[in-house]
Amino acid sequence: MSAIAKHKPLQVSVQSSAQLFGQLGEMFSQSGKAFSVDKVSAALNKSMRQLQHHASLAELITLRNVVRELASQVDRLVPDNDGSALPVLADPDALERAQREDAVGEKVLDAAGRRGPMGMSTPKSIRQGNEAMARAEQNAVATTAARIANGELISSGELQRALDVKRQAISGAVKAKRLFAIVGPSGENYYPAYYADPTLDRRTLEQVSKVLGSLPAPSKHHFFTSKSTMLQETPLDALRKGREAEVLAAAAGFAAR
């Protein structure tokens, strides 16, 4: 299906251009029939209009150059009644517009020609991509396991006991984006231990999490625990110093990236 679509513009343009030059040939071969440059020009322009929606940009530019060359020859061959030559394109504005279109088209073609060839998927590149994704997934699993082992991430039960809340409260906070869960190697949800840290205001943590919006849970955790260029320290450390407004601003910027 794609192969047919790919070649269709060329087939249509060849057919239309053949029809155009066939019509002009009939004009010139009809002895005794008077024809004018205006009539030839009208036929040229009609064919070009038909081609606009079917031919590619490169084909249109090429055919237009041929048409103009032909028009210039007709201009020399067909004088008007007083022996002077008639302009093939009677409308100077139309000629100027056509010249501008040519200039734009040539720039597009030139830019397209300077682009390097697009990479194609090969069995080797697909295999390498799959291997890279598998390694990344393994690294993510190992990192999460390490964070669980060192207490950086805690289970739902541990968070419930630390905050003295029910499981439903945890689920509701996650749905409201006030809290986020990171999936562990076994498929169980784990939560940042800093939500149970007494040195941090939990409501402020929840507010920052909401500002981070729909970012993936690992990205949110990365924001809280990594040094921020804007804050010159981690957001958790900044919150411990009472810099809530600055952390919220940094979170908004992080989410907008």
Side-chain angles (χ1 to χ4, degrees):
M1 189 75 175
S2 60
I4 295 175
K6 180 179 180 182
H7 294 291
K8 186 176 180 181
L10 180 59
Q11 293 169 346
V12 173
S13 64
V14 169
Q15 180 182 357
S16 299
S17 58
Q19 182 181 356
L20 162 66
F21 293 117
Q23 291 172 349
L24 293 178
E26 289 178 6
M27 283 185 190
F28 291 122
S29 63
Q30 292 175 357
S31 58
K33 289 266 187 174
F35 62 90
S36 66
V37 175
D38 286 339
K39 188 174 182 180
V40 174
S41 177
L44 294 173
N45 291 332
K46 179 180 179 181
S47 179
M48 290 299 296
R49 285 195 299 272
Q50 291 173 345
L51 283 172
Q52 289 287 342
H53 303 293
H54 302 290
S56 68
L57 179 60
E59 291 169 332
L60 284 175
I61 292 174
T62 301
L63 185 60
R64 182 175 291 161
N65 291 338
V66 174
V67 165
R68 286 181 181 169
E69 180 62 25
L70 177 60
S72 69
Q73 297 301 322
V74 173
D75 188 35
R76 297 189 186 97
L77 293 173
V78 185
D80 66 4
N81 292 334
D82 62 5
S84 62
L86 294 174
V88 175
L89 294 176
D91 184 359
D93 292 335
L95 176 60
E96 184 179 351
R97 285 196 301 272
Q99 290 172 336
R100 288 199 300 268
E101 290 171 4
D102 278 355
V104 172
E106 287 167 3
K107 287 181 180 179
V108 171
L109 288 176
D110 182 60
R114 289 198 301 268
R115 293 194 193 107
M118 294 182 64
M120 296 180 62
S121 295
T122 64
K124 181 179 179 181
S125 67
I126 293 173
R127 184 176 65 255
Q128 291 174 337
N130 290 338
E131 290 173 354
M133 290 177 63
R135 286 194 299 272
E137 185 175 353
Q138 290 173 356
N139 291 337
V141 170
T143 300
T144 301
R147 287 172 175 169
I148 294 171
N150 64 23
E152 187 177 341
L153 298 175
I154 58 178
S155 67
S156 176
E158 291 174 303
L159 185 62
Q160 290 175 53
R161 289 190 292 273
L163 300 180
D164 192 22
V165 296
K166 300 293 185 182
R167 186 182 184 89
Q168 291 79 1
I170 302 260
S171 299
V174 171
K175 289 180 181 178
K177 296 183 173 61
R178 293 183 284 109
L179 177 64
F180 54 91
I182 294 177
V183 180
S186 62
E188 183 183 355
N189 285 339
Y190 286 84
Y191 303 87
Y194 43 78
Y195 271 85
D197 187 339
T199 66
L200 291 165
D201 182 70
R202 181 161 55 90
R203 294 186 184 277
T204 303
L205 289 174
E206 292 178 349
Q207 190 176 3
V208 174
S209 180
K210 289 194 70 172
V211 171
L212 291 172
S214 299
L215 288 177
S219 296
K220 289 188 175 185
H221 185 64
H222 175 78
F223 170 78
F224 276 110
T225 58
S226 301
K227 183 177 179 179
S228 165
T229 303
M230 180 177 176
L231 300 171
Q232 290 300 304
E233 60 184 338
T234 70
L236 292 178
D237 289 336
L239 288 175
R240 290 187 178 96
K241 296 175 181 177
R243 301 173 64 189
E244 291 89 352
E246 295 171 79
V247 172
L248 289 169
F254 186 84
R257 289 180 185 174

